[in-house]
Amino acid sequence: YAQTTGVCGNVSACATVTVTVNPNPTPTASNNGPLCEGQTLNLSSTPNGMNYSWSGPGGWTSSSQNPSRAGVTTAMAGNYTVTVTNGATGCSATATTNVVINPNPTPTASNNGPLCEGQTLNLSSTPNGMSYSWSGPGGWTSSIQNPSRLSVTTAMGGNYTVTVTNGATGCSATATTNVVINPNPTPTASNNGPLCEGQTLNLSSTPNGMSYSWSGPGGWTSSIQNPSRLSVTTAMAGNYTVTVTSGAGCTATATTNVVINPNPTPTASNNGPLCEGQTLNLSSTPNGMNYSWSGPGGWTSSSQNPSRAGVTTAMAGNYTVTVTSGAGCTATATTNVVINPNPTPTA
């Protein structure tokens, strides 16, 4: 403003002085906080059209009206002061804004793997008392701190990421855990049956290069991939199960049914002792089988109960029948035929 001041009553002895007093600017300072670590701090000041000199924590300065700081840390929190100067008058004033920068949580993510197909995946995260947002393979999501997935498949393996948010500040951070889900083996089990009593049972399993645990009737066990049982009996028939374990510890089972047919229990008999010239009658049991007789002099027959007419002493001896069941199981029986010579009389 300007003011004229008289210093005497005599006008001729007076002088006039004009004094100009410029107003100081009235600055404001503000910020876009509260912020979280890693965000961008935006500072603002008014009025426009001035010169600006900002200062802040850590020796930071700026001459911009509305400066920014990217990727902030908690060390950048505190008072930011701007000095606003009117370039035309040189008058200045200051304003201060307090910047709050909240720390992000420091999350962890873990799992109970490696797993095998069919097991349960348990995921874990820290710290406690936050909000949680999980995401994983196949579009899976969860808002539980420590979620689970039942009966996992290999398609569920991969990276699982949790976003942990502090509800009081809204600050968040992420952590990732890699889940390994190993496939179970796909075993097969087979045998060389049907068998007859007394034969050898051969069991087979795949794939190769695994660990094997067989179990079968009568408490029988084996750790061989392809085990055998000698001189089998009908009590050894039934289901044989193999548990195959991979190098990753994953297991699966397969079963094969073993059929062991009983051998027939044949008998052989004859109508002797005979005299030369009589008829030899041979008999065998059981009925309903296939029969194969052999006897002295290369004699053979496929009848169950064959006969030889007009016998001679040369036809005496052992007669053996091999009886074969419908299942192909066989057994033999023998009968001894006695043929006495007739006397040679004279008259």
Side-chain angles (χ1 to χ4, degrees):
Y1 62 91
Q3 180 176 337
T4 301
T5 303
V7 297
C8 63
N10 188 337
V11 174
S12 62
C14 293
T16 299
V17 177
T18 300
V19 177
T20 301
V21 180
N22 295 301
N24 289 328
T26 307
T28 64
S30 61
N31 69 84
N32 62 326
L35 300 173
C36 298
E37 290 179 295
Q39 293 181 330
T40 297
L41 167 62
N42 296 318
L43 296 163
S44 301
S45 63
T46 60
N48 299 328
M50 302 287 173
N51 295 320
Y52 310 90
S53 177
W54 283 93
S55 62
W60 175 83
T61 61
S62 175
S63 59
S64 297
Q65 179 181 358
N66 303 313
S68 296
R69 298 188 78 176
V72 296
T73 66
T74 54
M76 297 178 185
N79 287 330
Y80 283 73
T81 299
V82 62
T83 300
V84 177
T85 303
N86 188 323
T89 64
C91 296
S92 64
T94 62
T96 299
T97 183
N98 182 260
V99 173
V100 176
I101 301 174
N102 294 304
N104 291 330
T106 307
T108 66
S110 60
N111 69 85
N112 62 325
L115 300 173
C116 299
E117 291 179 294
Q119 292 182 328
T120 296
L121 167 62
N122 295 320
L123 297 163
S124 301
S125 62
T126 61
N128 299 326
M130 303 283 173
S131 296
Y132 309 89
S133 178
W134 284 92
S135 62
W140 175 85
T141 61
S142 177
S143 59
I144 299 173
Q145 179 180 359
N146 303 314
S148 297
R149 297 190 79 177
L150 305 178
S151 299
V152 295
T153 66
T154 54
M156 296 178 186
N159 286 332
Y160 284 72
T161 298
V162 62
T163 299
V164 176
T165 303
N166 185 323
T169 65
C171 296
S172 64
T174 62
T176 298
T177 183
N178 183 259
V179 173
V180 176
I181 300 173
N182 294 303
N184 291 329
T186 308
T188 64
S190 59
N191 70 85
N192 62 326
L195 300 174
C196 298
E197 289 179 296
Q199 293 182 327
T200 296
L201 167 63
N202 296 319
L203 296 163
S204 301
S205 62
T206 61
N208 299 327
M210 304 281 173
S211 297
Y212 309 89
S213 178
W214 283 93
S215 63
W220 175 86
T221 60
S222 176
S223 60
I224 299 173
Q225 179 180 358
N226 303 315
S228 296
R229 297 190 78 177
L230 305 177
S231 300
V232 296
T233 65
T234 53
M236 297 178 186
N239 286 331
Y240 285 71
T241 299
V242 62
T243 300
V244 177
T245 304
S246 69
C250 299
T251 64
T253 62
T255 298
T256 183
N257 183 260
V258 174
V259 175
I260 302 174
N261 294 303
N263 292 328
T265 308
T267 65
S269 60
N270 68 84
N271 62 328
L274 299 173
C275 297
E276 289 179 294
Q278 292 181 330
T279 297
L280 168 63
N281 294 318
L282 297 163
S283 300
S284 63
T285 59
N287 299 326
M289 303 282 172
N290 294 320
Y291 309 89
S292 178
W293 284 93
S294 63
W299 175 84
T300 61
S301 175
S302 60
S303 296
Q304 179 180 357
N305 304 311
S307 296
R308 296 188 81 178
V311 296
T312 66
T313 55
M315 297 178 185
N318 287 331
Y319 283 73
T320 299
V321 63
T322 299
V323 177
T324 303
S325 70
C329 299
T330 63
T332 62
T334 299
T335 184
N336 184 258
V337 174
V338 176
I339 302 174
N340 294 306
N342 291 326
T344 306
T346 63

